[in-house]
Amino acid sequence: MWLKPEEVLLKNALKLWVTQKSNCYFVLQRRRGHGEGGGRLTGRLVGALDAVLDSNARVAPFRILLQVPGSQVYSPIACGATLEEINLHWDWLEQNLLHTLSVFDNKEDIASFVKGKVKALIAEETSSKLAEQEEEPEKFREALVKFASRFNFPEAEKLVTFYSCCCWKGRVPRQGWLYLSVNHLCFYSFFLGKELKLVVPWVDIQRLERTSNVFLTDTIRITTQNKERDFSMFLNLEEVFRIMEQLADVTLRRLLDNEVFDLDPGLQEPSQITKRDLEARARNEFFRALFRLPRRERLHAVVDCSLWTPFSRCHTAGRMFTSDSYVCFASREDGCCNVVLPLGEVVSIEKMEDTSLLPTPIIVSIRSKMAFQFIELPDRDALVESLLARLKQVQARHPARYDTSRDEDMTSPVFHSTSMCSDHKFGDLELVSSQNSKESEREKSPLLHPEALTAVFQQSGSQSPDFRVSREQIKISLWNDHFAEYGRTVCMFRTEKIRKLVAMGIPESLRGKLWLLFSDAVTDLAAHPGYYGNLVAESMGRSCLVTEEIERDLHRSLPEHPAFQNETGIAALRRVLTAYAHRNPRIGYCQSMNILTSVLLLYAKEEEAFWLLVAVCERMLPDYFNHRVIGAQVDQSVFEELIREQLPELAEHMRDLNALASVSLSWFLTLFLSIMPLESAVNVVDCFFYDGIKAVFQLGLAVLDANAEDLCSSKDDSQALVILGRFLDHIKNEESPGPPVGSHHAAFSDDQEPCPATDIADLIRDAYEKFGDQSVEQIEHLRCKHRIRVLQGHEDTTKQNVLRVVIPEVSILPEDLEELYDLFKREHMLSRYWEQLGPAVQRHDPSRPYAEQYRIDPQQFASLFKLVSPWTCGAHTEVLAERTFRLLDDNMDCLIEFRAVVGCLDIMYNGEMNEKIKLLYRLHIPPALTENDQDSQSPLKNPLLSTSRPLVFGKSNGDVADYQKQLKQMIKDLAKEKDKTDKELPKMSQREFIQFCKTLYSMFHEDPEENNLYQAIATVTTLLLQIGEVGQRSSSSGSGSQDGGEELQAAATSLDQDSVFAQDPQAFPEAAEGEWTVSLEHILASLLTEQSLVNFFEKPLDIKSKLENAKINQYSLKTFEMGRQSQSELKLQSV
């Protein structure tokens, strides 16, 4: 291994080491007593010494020393436990360093170069420890070295994987290597003497897709704001695209969507992300989406197996998924058979005898006296052991009571809850009839409402009661038959038959219970007894912005339904929404949650409705209910692509699908509840709880397909929206036991002609038959693809809104402002890439106003200031940047926004001279200049300025100019202007003035008129010092001058020498009677006397070239700063 170089004086001290190899610069040595065939006394003694030392103090038997010619000082740079290991290091030195060292002129340079290289190798070894986790560690280490040397990123930029491929530039392919790191996509090619380096931050990628060009049928296209890049000729393009998609998704959500996004535990630290982590994340997300499980569930294993399916009398081939709290099964044929087994329902997991007919079988028994037989399980023993360990953990976490006393034919021993909402038994299936006496009983009930609201507010439908009863009885009979054959608990066999039953519409008396089972909310309900009651007790009575929003929307929630025309339903809705906002403050309350919750309360008990809302918000519709409704917009964008694929003629007619997208947003947010009659929309909700978001996609396509002809003949978007509105408002449910309930969409149904009614059952059947072929995997892939577009669309919206606010306020051109915004945002991102910052929300908060979403701290501002500020002051630039930040940080929270930065730069580039001088003046008085301001290198820190310089100067043509009268008049004019201003700036003290002078001197460095500017500023400085002294004497004598010209007059009469700096500190006495001050007016008037200074501050400045250089150098400057910072940290550690 490589060692941190430390000097030793004797390479063979005490004769403990024997030289094996040597050359001009390196020595390979062996420790005596190791590898010797003979038995010499010295070797034995050394060997014994090493043997008795503990493992920490024991010396490695081989080492390599750095020896500089002509020096007696040596430095160990490598050690090894075997000769083979140390020879690898020796060979590397000979091949990579030996031929390079001869070019150095002195030994110090040789030592410095070798030590620096060894330290870099040590850092590389440290960073490549994760390489052991890769499939081919040696190749990965080699790629790490090349990646670091070619792109010069900081160590924190973790390489995830690499591939050989071609990058197309027009029609020309460039063969090279694609490197995928945690924050960047990089490509390197060196061909025919031409080097190509491409660096694309993931956060800049707007589209990532598989496509084809005229030469190749399959390529990966990366689209950024300005360019498209195609990559092809991968050995496994499917794998490459999957990893790229995962990296882009993780990085964009981590950096741009921190409002609700929580990373998986393995991805919390970007510098630790590996290819395996990303593949595991993809498997986890697919698993959770397939079975609609909580986000906390972590997939442990996926194994091929077969499950005995009694309804088909055979074993069905598929895959078993095991996670923290579930065992799930999915058949190979999509939708044929799925099973979800919560470990809380499992009683035992046992191995059966292995036979030829039943190879490696196991039996999973559940509490409802059902058993599931799995066979053909690879590594059965390890799988069962793992499952039993997790089963024990689940049972220890959630001990529960179960009821097994009732007849299994008609009951299910589902969990009992010890909460206030009575038990949760799914027993005999019977019709819930309307009882007028129940409402009065509920008024006397405790805090929570114990029944579904339809049980209390049952309405009579348009059909006769007998007709309604017969319809419901038929449905209930079909469901009972199904339960008997397929199971009736959450562990039931989920097949195509149950999907058909759901599409027909769930009976009203079973709807709430089946929603609980299909969503697995019943497991959460049973695992948290009393949780909801406690939430209600904690949250009710509190007043905040969220509760005010809830109160405002309570009476807008299904106002046409009698359940929400009185306080019983309103109070239950209030409790559920308030309790959920208290449970999940990151979501709190969003519009449309009230409509969904009100429907849940109609068919489920209050506590059940709460857990159904949890299931919908936190796993079935992820990221839907937040400030920006990102999840709904992603699905909306997916829906647009599905329209182009499934309904190409309609997409061709309506080239801009934004109109359809805008109306479809409410379809996703409210599951059609707000735009379809309630008795029809609940059938959609039935399908949603069984099939997830897929049901909404296919129903939306069916709606468009049913109206495709009318939509294609529509003249404009508004007519198309009216067509859809009328259609949706006339969707009927002939089998509904209740009366028709209007929808919120009635505004679109101003019918001039009768609109034919469509039965919801027919529409749902068409949706499954025509558009039901989308798999969960395809939908998740589309979501990942479109999430990139939606997030980047939000970023573009933010950018455009910020620029719209800023453009009228400044004189910088809009295109330059756009470049500045990109630099500002990239500076924020660079720090997020490689620095350990505080909570990201402090700097990027999507919930804030557009102009305040991105903010930067002092360090980030200093880097940006060096890149774009025209006031470059050499080493003094950093000090000036600190003062500028303090000036712009009005609320002193150490964060400033883009608007403040641009306002300051606008003055620097486009302001008039008096505005620039005023800005400089403010940078040298509090709050910009503080008592702790560190500027130790300033030659003006001590009072060495002389005030003895004449105000009469000779010009080149022999004329003499007297500025006294001119200055007097200028100060009078400035005094008049000062009276018109609202707020007068405080006067500048002597210490502040010295710092002001230093900044001016620094600004003139390397200017073409440097000498003239120095002479001019010396003149002005001397004059201002005299003005300050005159004011000081006037103040001490108590007769303050009313006219600044009198101070100039008095100052001009006492001049006798011509020097700017005095060597004697006593020439500028500190012990003055009064306070030395000058004002902005004095400074501005004095500067106006020197034409060279006026020219300097009024010359036009080119911001475009500055921006171009900044774009090129921003990465390298950040890398340099981080390298310097790490060196400082190393020095501190060594000290």
Side-chain angles (χ1 to χ4, degrees):
M1 60 179 292
W2 299 104
L3 300 176
K4 185 178 179 181
E6 294 179 355
E7 295 180 350
V8 294
L9 293 177
L10 298 175
K11 64 179 179 180
N12 57 350
L14 302 178
K15 298 187 181 297
L16 298 178
W17 296 91
V18 178
T19 299
Q20 298 280 98
K21 300 179 184 178
S22 65
N23 55 40
C24 297
Y25 303 102
F26 303 106
V27 179
L28 191 156
Q29 295 184 325
R30 173 181 52 81
R31 184 83 165 172
R32 286 189 183 275
H34 293 274
E36 291 182 342
R40 292 184 180 180
L41 179 60
T42 306
R44 289 183 178 182
L45 290 174
V46 175
L49 176 66
D50 290 344
V52 299
L53 291 174
D54 61 44
S55 58
N56 293 325
R58 198 170 295 165
V59 180
F62 298 95
R63 70 177 183 180
I64 297 175
L65 299 178
L66 167 66
Q67 64 172 5
V68 179
S71 173
Q72 294 298 314
V73 177
Y74 297 81
S75 300
I77 57 174
C79 68
T82 63
L83 184 61
E84 292 78 11
E85 180 185 356
I86 203 68
N87 275 334
L88 289 175
H89 290 75
W90 180 266
D91 293 341
W92 189 91
L93 291 170
E94 286 191 328
Q95 294 169 13
N96 295 277
L97 284 189
L98 195 60
H99 65 280
T100 307
L101 300 181
S102 59
V103 304
F104 291 100
D105 295 330
N106 57 67
K107 57 187 180 184
E108 288 80 8
D109 290 343
I110 294 174
S112 176
F113 176 77
V114 174
K115 290 177 181 179
K117 192 65 179 176
V118 171
K119 288 178 181 178
L121 291 171
I122 293 172
E124 175 196 324
E125 278 192 344
T126 303
S127 65
S128 65
K129 285 179 180 177
L130 289 171
E132 297 296 338
Q133 303 176 23
E134 302 297 329
E135 297 172 358
E136 299 177 281
E138 293 302 324
K139 289 186 178 179
F140 193 79
R141 285 195 187 92
E142 183 181 349
L144 276 172
V145 174
K146 292 179 179 177
F147 174 70
S149 62
R150 287 169 177 172
F151 298 100
N152 196 32
F153 284 128
E155 294 178 16
E157 186 65 19
K158 165 74 171 63
L159 177 65
V160 175
T161 189
F162 63 100
Y163 300 95
S164 173
C165 68
C166 277
C167 175
W168 290 79
K169 191 174 182 181
R171 296 186 176 184
V172 180
R174 297 290 296 270
Q175 179 64 36
W177 289 91
L178 181 70
Y179 298 91
L180 306 180
S181 66
V182 290
N183 297 303
H184 299 87
L185 177 150
C186 305
F187 178 80
Y188 179 85
S189 172
F190 188 83
F191 185 68
L192 298 177
K194 292 185 178 181
E195 185 180 54
L196 172 65
K197 289 184 182 181
L198 177 65
V199 177
V200 181
W202 293 115
V203 79
D204 287 353
I205 291 177
Q206 297 184 337
R207 287 175 181 265
L208 176 62
E209 53 196 345
R210 292 176 64 172
T211 182
S212 59
N213 60 24
V214 293
F215 301 101
L216 293 169
T217 57
D218 211 359
T219 63
I220 297 176
R221 175 167 294 172
I222 306 294
T223 305
T224 59
Q225 186 175 5
N226 302 316
K227 290 183 180 179
E228 287 183 350
R229 298 280 187 180
D230 288 342
F231 298 90
S232 63
M233 298 186 185
F234 295 96
L235 290 177
N236 188 344
L237 187 136
E238 182 70 35
E239 174 194 306
V240 177
F241 185 73
R242 188 173 64 248
I243 294 296
M244 292 172 71
E245 201 172 46
Q246 283 288 313
L247 266 174
D249 185 55
V250 167
T251 306
L252 262 72
R253 297 181 73 180
R254 173 169 56 87
L255 297 175
L256 303 182
D257 189 28
N258 50 28
E259 184 181 5
V260 294
F261 178 57
D262 291 320
L263 282 169
D264 294 341
L267 305 175
Q268 292 286 359
E269 177 53 53
S271 62
Q272 304 298 314
I273 292 176
T274 65
K275 179 182 171 184
R276 289 183 182 180
D277 291 332
L278 294 170
E279 291 172 339
R281 176 181 183 260
R283 289 192 298 268
N284 266 312
E285 292 202 333
F286 168 72
F287 163 67
R288 291 190 292 252
L290 179 62
F291 300 103
R292 294 182 295 284
L293 299 179
R295 183 170 180 79
R296 65 178 181 274
E297 280 303 306
R298 186 166 54 92
L299 183 64
H300 289 277
V302 181
V303 294
D304 291 328
C305 65
S306 295
L307 171 67
W308 173 255
T309 49
F311 51 88
S312 61
R313 309 271 185 223
C314 67
H315 283 91
T316 300
R319 289 184 296 173
M320 175 193 285
F321 301 78
T322 65
S323 68
D324 295 334
S325 307
Y326 290 86
V327 176
C328 302
F329 175 84
S331 59
R332 287 181 183 171
E333 184 182 346
D334 188 35
C336 175
C337 177
N338 283 11
V339 175
V340 177
L341 305 177
L343 289 180
E345 279 274 88
V346 174
V347 175
S348 64
I349 301 174
E350 300 172 304
K351 292 183 285 187
M352 293 177 60
E353 183 181 354
D354 191 357
T355 66
S356 58
L357 293 177
L358 299 176
T360 61
I362 68 170
I363 295 289
V364 179
S365 303
I366 62 172
R367 298 189 182 275
S368 57
K369 299 179 183 178
M370 286 180 66
F372 296 85
Q373 182 191 76
F374 297 91
I375 64 171
E376 299 174 342
L377 289 159
D379 199 7
R380 179 182 64 168
D381 294 343
L383 177 66
V384 171
E385 183 180 353
S386 172
L387 287 174
L388 288 173
R390 288 199 293 280
L391 176 62
K392 186 176 180 180
Q393 293 174 357
V394 169
Q395 291 175 342
R397 283 199 309 268
H398 302 298
R401 294 186 297 108
Y402 300 90
D403 179 12
T404 57
S405 61
R406 302 190 61 181
D407 183 7
E408 176 56 23
D409 289 340
M410 295 300 292
T411 65
S412 170
V414 183
F415 291 101
H416 274 250
S417 172
T418 58
S419 70
M420 292 182 271
C421 271
S422 76
D423 61 4
H424 298 280
K425 195 187 299 279
F426 192 9
D428 294 339
L429 300 174
E430 56 185 19
L431 287 174
V432 181
S433 61
S434 176
Q435 299 179 11
N436 296 331
S437 60
K438 286 187 177 181
E439 186 169 353
S440 60
E441 291 174 9
R442 299 298 170 248
E443 293 173 356
K444 302 176 183 178
S445 67
L447 177 63
L448 306 184
H449 195 67
E451 288 190 80
L453 293 177
T454 50
V456 181
F457 301 96
Q458 190 70 41
Q459 307 173 83
S460 296
S462 57
Q463 297 95 349
S464 65
D466 292 340
F467 180 80
R468 286 191 298 108
V469 170
S470 63
R471 288 285 184 94
E472 282 287 281
Q473 288 287 18
I474 292 172
K475 285 186 178 181
I476 290 173
S477 177
L478 291 172
W479 277 97
N480 278 331
D481 293 343
H482 185 274
F483 290 145
E485 188 174 5
Y486 294 86
R488 68 192 318 123
T489 70
V490 70
C491 304
M492 68 175 68
F493 291 96
R494 307 184 189 205
T495 65
E496 191 62 33
K497 184 177 178 181
I498 197 171
R499 178 177 282 117
K500 291 178 180 178
L501 285 175
V502 171
M504 291 168 56
I506 298 175
E508 298 237 333
S509 57
L510 302 182
R511 180 164 276 139
K513 298 294 184 183
L514 286 173
W515 286 357
L516 283 169
L517 296 183
F518 293 154
S519 65
D520 196 34
V522 67
T523 302
D524 288 334
L525 173 67
H528 299 87
Y531 176 82
Y532 174 67
N534 293 334
L535 271 184
V536 171
E538 292 173 10
S539 60
M540 293 306 292
R542 296 190 177 187
S543 180
C544 61
L545 183 61
V546 171
T547 57
E548 291 175 5
E549 292 177 357
I550 291 173
E551 288 296 328
R552 188 168 58 246
D553 288 345
L554 285 177
H555 295 279
R556 305 174 187 171
S557 309
L558 298 186
E560 63 281 349
H561 197 285
F564 299 99
Q565 294 171 356
N566 66 78
E567 186 54 32
T568 302
I570 294 294
L573 181 60
R574 178 187 293 112
R575 287 192 293 269
V576 173
L577 291 175
T578 307
Y580 185 78
H582 189 68
R583 163 191 165 87
N584 192 343
R586 296 183 69 177
I587 292 179
Y589 169 76
C590 294
Q591 286 188 352
S592 77
M593 286 175 67
N594 60 318
I595 297 173
L596 176 62
T597 307
S598 60
V599 174
L600 298 178
L601 282 166
L602 288 178
Y603 298 100
K605 299 175 183 178
E606 186 175 324
E607 186 176 14
E608 295 171 346
F610 170 79
W611 286 110
L612 283 169
L613 181 64
V614 170
V616 171
C617 293
E618 297 179 13
R619 60 174 183 263
M620 298 189 73
L621 295 177
D623 299 344
Y624 262 56
F625 302 99
N626 55 56
H627 175 70
R628 299 190 294 175
V629 291
I630 292 291
Q633 292 187 49
V634 169
D635 284 346
Q636 187 183 16
S637 185
V638 170
F639 186 58
E640 287 185 37
E641 180 164 334
L642 292 176
I643 294 172
R644 293 187 181 94
E645 290 179 2
Q646 305 284 348
L647 303 170
E649 293 182 4
L650 178 61
E652 180 66 24
H653 175 74
M654 303 186 71
R655 293 182 179 275
D656 185 4
L657 295 175
N658 288 335
L660 291 181
S662 63
V663 73
S664 68
L665 184 61
S666 62
W667 301 359
F668 293 102
L669 280 173
T670 66
L671 305 178
F672 286 91
L673 289 169
S674 66
I675 44 85
M676 195 183 286
L678 178 62
E679 68 274 9
S680 303
V682 290
N683 285 31
V684 179
V685 180
D686 294 342
C687 297
F688 167 75
F689 275 115
Y690 184 76
D691 265 324
I693 195 63
K694 170 185 173 181
V696 182
F697 283 130
Q698 62 194 30
L699 187 67
L701 291 170
V703 169
L704 295 179
D705 183 52
N707 294 274
E709 186 176 343
D710 292 338
L711 290 173
C712 288
S713 61
S714 62
K715 298 177 182 178
D716 52 34
D717 292 344
S718 61
Q719 186 178 358
L721 296 183
V722 170
I723 291 169
L724 287 175
R726 293 177 66 228
F727 176 83
L728 290 166
D729 202 47
H730 286 80
I731 294 177
K732 305 301 180 185
N733 186 354
E734 299 296 338
E735 299 181 1
S736 173
V741 179
S743 73
H744 295 280
H745 206 266
F748 283 108
S749 58
D750 184 14
D751 297 340
Q752 297 177 359
E753 298 179 3
C755 181
T758 303
D759 189 73
I760 185 63
D762 295 336
L763 187 64
I764 291 176
R765 185 179 60 253
D766 289 345
Y768 275 106
E769 290 177 356
K770 294 181 179 179
F771 309 107
D773 56 349
Q774 292 291 329
S775 68
V776 171
E777 191 170 13
Q778 290 171 319
I779 290 174
E780 287 305 302
H781 163 70
L782 289 172
R783 277 177 159 179
C784 190
K785 170 184 174 181
H786 287 274
R787 189 179 294 113
I788 296 174
R789 300 182 185 180
V790 169
L791 287 174
Q792 292 292 14
H794 275 275
E795 291 300 298
D796 289 341
T797 301
T798 299
K799 177 179 176 178
Q800 296 306 320
N801 279 279
V802 171
L803 295 178
R804 179 175 52 82
V805 171
V806 172
I807 285 173
E809 300 177 354
V810 297
S811 302
I812 301 175
L813 295 176
E815 57 268 26
D816 295 334
L817 271 178
E818 192 170 346
E819 296 284 356
L820 265 175
Y821 181 88
D822 292 340
L823 289 168
F824 179 89
K825 179 181 170 183
R826 191 175 298 120
E827 190 61 44
H828 161 84
M829 290 299 173
L830 287 174
S831 299
R832 292 287 308 279
Y833 294 160
W834 303 319
E835 295 177 9
Q836 295 294 327
L837 301 176
V841 73
Q842 291 183 358
R843 291 164 172 78
H844 177 220
D845 185 359
S847 65
R848 296 176 67 90
Y850 289 116
E852 301 175 14
Q853 286 188 13
Y854 282 105
R855 296 178 293 170
I856 57 177
D857 61 22
Q859 187 176 355
Q860 295 165 347
F861 176 77
S863 300
L864 189 63
F865 188 88
K866 294 174 187 174
L867 288 168
V868 299
S869 171
W871 292 354
T872 52
C873 308
H876 190 66
T877 305
E878 194 166 339
V879 176
L880 192 62
E882 292 175 6
R883 294 173 185 166
T884 307
F885 184 90
R886 285 195 291 265
L887 178 65
L888 299 178
D889 186 16
D890 293 330
N891 57 0
M892 301 181 71
D893 63 349
C894 289
L895 294 171
I896 59 174
E897 60 208 41
F898 178 70
R899 190 175 183 178
V901 175
V902 171
C904 180
L905 288 174
D906 186 49
I907 294 175
M908 293 180 180
Y909 278 99
N910 302 314
E912 296 181 357
M913 179 179 176
N914 62 331
E915 293 176 317
K916 294 179 181 179
I917 298 303
K918 183 177 180 180
L919 176 59
L920 274 172
Y921 184 91
R922 294 181 65 199
L923 290 175
H924 294 85
I925 59 175
L929 186 69
T930 64
E931 291 293 333
N932 299 324
D933 197 291
Q934 296 184 356
D935 192 12
S936 57
Q937 298 180 355
S938 172
L940 306 179
K941 187 174 181 181
N942 295 319
L944 301 178
L945 286 174
S946 171
T947 62
S948 54
R949 184 176 178 88
L951 281 179
V952 179
F953 302 99
K955 292 188 176 181
S956 57
N957 58 5
D959 296 336
V960 175
D962 186 349
Y963 293 115
Q964 292 182 31
K965 293 180 180 180
Q966 183 181 353
L967 282 173
K968 185 174 180 178
Q969 184 59 43
M970 286 180 179
I971 290 178
K972 284 182 179 180
D973 295 340
L974 287 168
K976 291 178 182 178
E977 291 182 9
K978 182 179 69 175
D979 294 337
K980 300 177 184 178
T981 59
D982 296 332
K983 186 177 179 181
E984 181 181 356
L985 289 173
K987 291 188 176 182
M988 185 178 282
S989 69
Q990 179 181 336
R991 184 182 75 89
E992 295 162 356
F993 176 70
I994 292 172
Q995 293 300 321
F996 178 83
C997 293
K998 191 220 171 156
T999 299
L1000 289 177
Y1001 273 94
S1002 302
M1003 288 172 64
F1004 303 149
H1005 184 57
E1006 296 185 356
D1007 189 274
E1009 299 291 326
E1010 182 176 358
N1011 291 333
N1012 293 335
L1013 290 169
Y1014 280 157
Q1015 183 178 1
I1017 196 59
T1019 304
V1020 171
T1021 302
T1022 305
L1023 173 61
L1024 287 168
L1025 286 168
Q1026 294 168 6
I1027 293 173
E1029 286 184 352
V1030 171
Q1032 184 181 26
R1033 289 197 295 270
S1034 301
S1035 175
S1036 62
S1037 64
S1039 56
S1041 174
Q1042 299 299 319
D1043 187 34
E1046 296 178 13
E1047 295 176 11
L1048 290 173
Q1049 183 85 16
T1053 58
S1054 60
L1055 304 174
D1056 57 1
Q1057 293 185 6
D1058 183 14
S1059 69
V1060 180
F1061 294 97
Q1063 300 299 321
D1064 183 7
Q1066 299 302 322
F1068 194 85
E1070 285 184 287
E1073 297 85 350
E1075 185 178 356
W1076 189 100
T1077 59
V1078 292
S1079 66
L1080 172 63
E1081 291 75 18
H1082 290 144
I1083 292 176
L1084 185 56
S1086 303
L1087 291 172
L1088 287 171
T1089 64
E1090 293 292 338
Q1091 190 60 43
S1092 57
L1093 294 176
V1094 174
N1095 294 341
F1096 176 82
F1097 283 107
E1098 290 190 346
K1099 67 182 177 183
L1101 298 172
D1102 181 20
I1103 192 173
K1104 290 186 182 294
S1105 59
K1106 201 78 172 177
L1107 294 176
E1108 287 298 322
N1109 290 331
K1111 284 195 294 184
I1112 296 171
N1113 298 322
Q1114 192 170 22
Y1115 264 80
S1116 57
L1117 177 63
K1118 193 67 177 180
T1119 305
F1120 172 76
E1121 288 177 350
M1122 292 201 65
R1124 188 176 61 179
Q1125 183 179 350
S1126 62
Q1127 288 178 2
S1128 302
E1129 290 174 357
L1130 286 173
K1131 289 180 181 178
L1132 288 173
Q1133 291 173 3
S1134 63
V1135 171

